[in-house]
Every structure is written in C-alpha cells, then in structure tokens.
C-alpha cells in the first residue's frame, strides 16, 4: 500500500496535524507552518494507516527492534513495531543525554530501526543512533512520518519518510511574521519537557 503525498496530507489535515500560524521551531528559527504529529497520534486508526504504509517500506530491513526518542517518537515507534511484529524501546533524556532506562537493554549485533515522528535537523535521531551503536547494535534504517529537512538530512543509513516537506523557516531577526507584528511566535514542540 503506497500512499501518495496527497493521501498523507489529507490525513494530516483531518487530524489537524498541520498547524498554520507563527511558530518557533526547535532550532530557534521561525515558521508559519508546524507539523504537529502528536495530533495524528490522537487517532489510533489514522496512526495505524500511516504507520502501516511506512512499515511496508521498512520490512525489507529485517529489523529486530524499533528504538525511538522520547517524547515525540514513542507512540509512532510502538505502532511501527506492532506492524513489523518486533518489540520496541524508547530512549529518553537523563542529564541532557539520551539513555535507555526502565530495564531496556539492546543486545550486541541487534538490527535496529530508529523511528522519530518529525525529522527537522535529525539531532535526536543521531543521538539515539549513537546510543544504540554504543550498545553494539546495528542501525539498519531510520524512519519518520515527516521529513521536514526536504531530503537534506543524512543519517548514513537508509532513511524512509512518508512525507518530505520543505517548510520555509527564518532566523528570528529576519522573520516576516515578526516584522508584521501580528501574533507572537509560540513553541509547540516537546524538547525540554521533563
Ligand atoms: Zn517570527
């Protein structure tokens, strides 16, 4: 089941996973569009539909486990793992760095797919990749629902995204929305959440 960009966008619009307004991204840059993937995962049926399409692309990697960065990647990681028929862990920040807690432990040589909801710079994904490799695991692929880098990010392994979107963003000092002075920029992301 390969979905078209239009079909995927329809699901996002239906679940209000695309927000329009004035936002501060994790990078500190401003944008008029924000992909709020959490809104997609409010709806189990739509989540299963999109993650199922992604899981189809991921099957060829014969992964043994899915690992995702908290918080954004947790629900998606669970659903992709469920559809692939493999277990899943999530990594979380402790003292600023990504760690596996709660008795989660990777075995050496394990084939891992790292799953994140939205990739912008890929920072969290790269941290989780390093964490898994330090445990001796092998990263066979990275997957996300949305690639906001517009294909610019390079993980050094195959990367599957359902939707590749290049959303314009601006340095805060050069933001046209700020200049218009209409609405203050808001930060809808989850980094820094305890
Ligand atoms: Zn702005």
């Amino acid at each position: 089941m390969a979905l078209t960009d239009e079909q995927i966008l329809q699901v996002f619009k239906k679940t209000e996973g695309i927000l329009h307004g004035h936002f501060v991204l994790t990078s500190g840059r401003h944008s008029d569009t924000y992909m709020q993937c959490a809104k997609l995962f409010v709806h189990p049926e739509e989540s299963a539909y999109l993650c199922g399409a992604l899981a189809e692309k991921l099957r060829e990697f014969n992964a043994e486990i899915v690992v995702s960065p908290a918080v954004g990647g947790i629900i998606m990681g669970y659903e992709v793992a469920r559809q692939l028929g493999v277990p899943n862990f999530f990594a979380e920040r402790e003292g600023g760095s990504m760690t596996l807690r709660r008795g989660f432990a990777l075995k050496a040589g394990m084939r891992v797919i790292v799953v994140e909801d939205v990739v912008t710079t890929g920072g969290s994904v790269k941290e989780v990749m390093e964490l898994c490799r330090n445990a001796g695991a092998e990263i066979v692929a990275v997957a996300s629902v949305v690639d906001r880098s517009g294909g610019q990010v390079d993980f050094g392994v195959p990367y599957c995204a359902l939707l590749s979107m290049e959303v314009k963003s601006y340095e805060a000092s050069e933001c046209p929305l700020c200049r218009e002075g209409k609405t203050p920029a808001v930060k809808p992301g989850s980094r820094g959440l305890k």
Side-chain angles (χ1 to χ4, degrees), residues 84-155:
L84 288 175
V86 300
N88 80 103
F89 292 159
F90 60 87
E92 57 201 302
R93 283 188 195 284
E94 190 179 45
S97 45
M98 281 290 181
T99 45
L100 288 174
R101 300 178 63 198
R102 306 169 198 271
F104 296 160
L106 291 166
K107 294 185 188 115
M110 254 185 156
R111 296 172 64 81
V112 175
I113 295 179
V114 176
V115 164
E116 169 73 300
D117 57 349
V118 180
V119 164
T120 305
T121 61
S124 299
V125 168
K126 287 174 184 169
E127 281 182 67
V128 172
M129 290 173 75
E130 191 187 346
L131 169 69
C132 294
R133 283 178 177 145
N134 288 343
E138 183 192 351
I139 311 300
V140 293
V142 171
S144 69
V145 174
V146 180
D147 172 12
R148 278 196 50 145
S149 83
Q152 295 303 300
V153 71
D154 181 8
F155 294 115

Side-chain angles (χ1 to χ4, degrees), residues 7-25:
Q7 285 173 307
I8 295 161
L9 276 169
Q10 269 174 14
V11 177
F12 267 97
K13 281 174 191 157
K14 188 177 156 195
T15 58
E16 299 179 335
I18 292 179
L19 302 179
H20 296 288
H22 186 193
F23 305 104
V24 183
L25 308 179

Side-chain angles (χ1 to χ4, degrees), residues 22-23 30 172 175 177-178 185:
H22 186 193
F23 305 104
H30 290 196
C175 174
L177 297 159
C178 282

